[in-house]
Amino acid sequence: MVLLNHAVLPVTIGWRAVCGLGAVLGLAVLIVRRFVPESPRWLMMRGRFEEANQVVSQIEDQIKRGDHLSEL
């Protein structure tokens, strides 16, 4: 709403900024998705039990090493 306010940006630029912001956010989601593992529950519901066990093992290993504390 801020970008569409004609007091902040001209009307001809505001809608372009909003569309551009949407595209940037969409690309960010696609990039982040590559680094986030699938949910073990989702994998198990689709019969991919070995992958689910690997994800859970990786999470447990991170907890044991204390790597999760540096991500906060």
Side-chain angles (χ1 to χ4, degrees):
M1 294 303 289
V2 173
L3 294 176
L4 294 175
N5 185 348
H6 64 84
V8 176
L9 287 174
V11 175
T12 57
I13 296 176
W15 70 269
R16 288 183 175 108
V18 171
C19 289
L21 182 62
V24 169
L25 290 174
L27 286 173
V29 167
L30 290 176
I31 292 169
V32 168
R33 251 190 104 217
R34 298 190 64 94
F35 299 103
V36 176
E38 292 290 349
S39 162
R41 181 179 179 209
W42 185 90
L43 290 169
M44 290 177 65
M45 288 173 44
R46 282 149 184 84
R48 297 162 60 181
F49 298 105
E50 185 59 37
E51 288 179 67
N53 285 332
Q54 288 175 355
V55 170
V56 171
S57 295
Q58 289 173 353
I59 293 170
E60 289 174 346
D61 290 342
Q62 283 181 345
I63 298 296
K64 288 177 186 173
R65 287 191 314 260
D67 292 349
H68 66 288
L69 298 176
S70 62
E71 295 175 6
L72 295 176

